[in-house]
């Protein structure tokens, strides 16, 4: 298999060291591609190129940047089927899900392209400052940060790359992208669309390699002005410690809860949980991990949920008959299986699923889970939901908040007053009423509270966080 080279300063290159790495299918272990394994020299080359790219790109008018991004979006649309196959091959995501992800990619670029053309500032009422007359004019302008370092996880290898690269480019920044080591092929395919659309050479680099080898060097480099990271809280914490004085956005881990009250539509709630707990084999930051049912409807909810979970079909992710693919590695699948076994050993009941075959874990429902156990509080990132009960709104909201994370939550109820209370009191970045947390429109502000992160994504917010605000004062008189 030939090496898919990485992108540095507009050139498709091998690693300076000549090292390469095979990318394998999580499903059957077959080699689906080979990429360079970047080292320190490659990091230096990418950042040096980005310095030049940042100068070129900030001098490129917004309408031209927009035109290039729109061409890239069209190219991504045209290659969507091919990109979906690449996602399935390297990530193990069922092809039906990969097709949806690839289908959203072009639109994500278009949303960012538009926002990059909306860099408005404010006019400042300086005459309201005591002692100042009408002889001064003040306003703000936004300008690109310079070089944006984008570091992305494996679970949405197209969308999470584009939620960083597209707004960063739209806002006029040069970008150094470090995709997850398990899913670099999708990132390289997307980068080719930007280059094909006419992006100047030095503006985008993609370094394939391991965060544990090149992460600290990238993150601590003073030429990087903004870091946009999505991944685990553990790595996010390390990045925050190494970054120094820079702008940082961190989209991190989660243990998302769904509350189901007695006046909920249990058919709707069970449909939504059967989708939101198992999409991408539960490897989604806003996956349903915890279900907090009112004790009066716990049994009825489980009766409605179990047949829907049993109907999920695992198997070859490239088959259209498969509705749930693999975990990212057999090691991750073993970790998830062990977590389910540990919950059972602690007194929880595994009602269905939890068995492992290679990198596939059968979708599981685990009831009677102790809300203070690691199975509930820590991130699982696998295809299982943990069910526990509460007596009332007070108890349900307290349980939902009983984790260090705070990304997203869902509430099923027809009680408007209760819903309003939940909206106000659940400490999460996103709250969904009558749906699960696993829902995202690419345009909406998206990000977590507490250990789930800092800052927001979504093209409008990302463009704002990837630009600097400058205050300008024109002095008609010098005092
Ligand atoms: P990860 O933290 O292991 O890796 C993410 C990226 O960080 C990879 O590109 C990796 O190479 C890089 N990295 C590793 N060590 C580094 C270092 N020292 N310095 C710099 N970069 C380094 O995460 P993962 O396993 O790929 O993804 C799963 C995690 O991502 C889960 O915790 C999940 O909740 C989180 N996630 C969060 C969101 C969100 O929006 N909040 C979205 C998707 C995934």
């Amino acid at each position: 298999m030939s090496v898919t080279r990485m992108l540095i300063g507009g050139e498709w290159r091998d690693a300076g060291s000549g090292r390469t790495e095979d990318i394998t299918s999580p499903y059957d272990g077959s080699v689906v591609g080979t990429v360079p394994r970047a080292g320190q020299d490659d990091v230096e080359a990418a950042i040096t190129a980005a310095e030049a790219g940042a100068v070129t790109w900030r001098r490129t008018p917004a309408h031209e940047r927009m035109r290039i991004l729109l061409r890239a979006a069209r190219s991504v649309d045209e290659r969507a089927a091919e990109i979906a196959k690449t996602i399935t091959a390297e990530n193990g995501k069922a092809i039906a899900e990969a097709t949806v992800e690839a289908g959203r990619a072009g639109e994500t670029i278009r949303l960012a392209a538009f926002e990059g053309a909306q860099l408005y500032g404010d006019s400042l009422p300086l005459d309201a400052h005591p002692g100042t007359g009408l002889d001064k004019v003040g306003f703000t302008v936004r300008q690109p940060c310079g070089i944006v370092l984008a570091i992305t996880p494996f679970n949405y290898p197209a969308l999470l790359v584009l939620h960083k690269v597209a707004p960063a480019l739209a806002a006029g920044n040069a970008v150094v992208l470090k995709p997850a080591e398990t899913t670099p092929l999708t990132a390289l395919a997307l980068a080719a669309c930007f280059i094909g659309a006419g992006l100047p050479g030095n503006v985008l680099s993609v370094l394939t390699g391991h965060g544990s080898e090149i992460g600290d060097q990238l993150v601590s480099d003073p030429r990087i002005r903004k870091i946009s990271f999505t991944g685990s809280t553990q790595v996010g914490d390390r990045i925050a410690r190494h970054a120094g004085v820079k702008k940082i956005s961190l989209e991190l881990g989660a243990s998302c809860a769904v509350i189901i009250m007695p006046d909920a539509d249990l058919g709707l709630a069970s449909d939504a949980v059967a989708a939101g707990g198992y999409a991408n084999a539960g490897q989604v930051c806003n996956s349903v991990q915890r279900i907090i049912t009112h004790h009066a409807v716990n049994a009825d909810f489980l009766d409605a949920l179990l047949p829907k979970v049993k109907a999920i079909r695992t198997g070859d992710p490239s088959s259209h008959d498969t509705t749930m693919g693999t975990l990212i590695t057999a090691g991750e699948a073993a970790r998830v299986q062990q977590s389910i076994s540990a919950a059972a050993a602690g007194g929880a009941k595994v009602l269905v699923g939890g068995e492992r075959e290679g990198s596939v874990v059968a979708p599981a429902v685990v009831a009677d889970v102790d809300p203070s156990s690691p199975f509930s509080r820590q991130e699982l990132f696998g295809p299982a939901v943990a069910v526990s009960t509460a007596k009332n709104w007070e108890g349900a909201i307290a349980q939902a908040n009983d984790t260090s994370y705070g990304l997203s939550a869902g509430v099923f109820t027809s009680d408007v007053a209760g819903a309003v209370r939940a909206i106000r009191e659940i400490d999460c970045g996103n709250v969904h009423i009558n749906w699960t947390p696993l829902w995202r429109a690419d345009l909406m502000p998206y990000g977590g509270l507490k250990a789930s992160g800092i800052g927001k994504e979504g093209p409008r917010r990302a463009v704002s966080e990837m630009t600097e605000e400058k205050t300008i004062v024109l002095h008609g008189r010098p005092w």
Side-chain angles (χ1 to χ4, degrees), residues 5 33 89 197 213 221 304 418 422 446:
R5 295 196 165 103
E213 293 173 5
D221 192 295
Y446 184 84

Side-chain angles (χ1 to χ4, degrees), residues 152-154 178 181 211 215 229-232 251-253 285 379 381 446:
T152 53
F154 70 84
K178 212 305 279 164
E181 41 268 46
F229 172 77
T230 300
S232 61
E251 300 286 343
L252 308 176
C285 50
E379 181 172 54
F381 227 54
Y446 184 84

Side-chain angles (χ1 to χ4, degrees), residues 283-303:
Q283 301 165 111
V284 193
C285 50
N286 55 10
S287 186
V288 178
Q289 179 171 332
R290 295 176 293 148
I291 302 172
I292 303 159
T293 58
H294 188 280
H295 61 87
V297 289
N298 186 52
D300 288 348
F301 172 73
L302 288 172
D303 283 349

Side-chain angles (χ1 to χ4, degrees), residues 191-211:
C193 294
F194 284 100
I195 298 300
L199 191 73
N202 286 325
V203 176
L204 174 64
S205 290
V206 183
L207 290 169
T208 54
H210 287 243

Side-chain angles (χ1 to χ4, degrees), residues 37 178 181 209-217 235 238:
R37 187 160 174 161
K178 212 305 279 164
E181 41 268 46
H210 287 243
S212 55
E213 293 173 5
I214 56 173
D216 288 352
Q217 186 189 354
V235 173
R238 185 181 176 94

Side-chain angles (χ1 to χ4, degrees), residues 346-363:
K349 290 198 189 88
V350 182
L351 302 182
V352 65
E355 309 84 11
R356 177 174 82 90
E357 198 179 329
S359 53
V360 177
V361 173

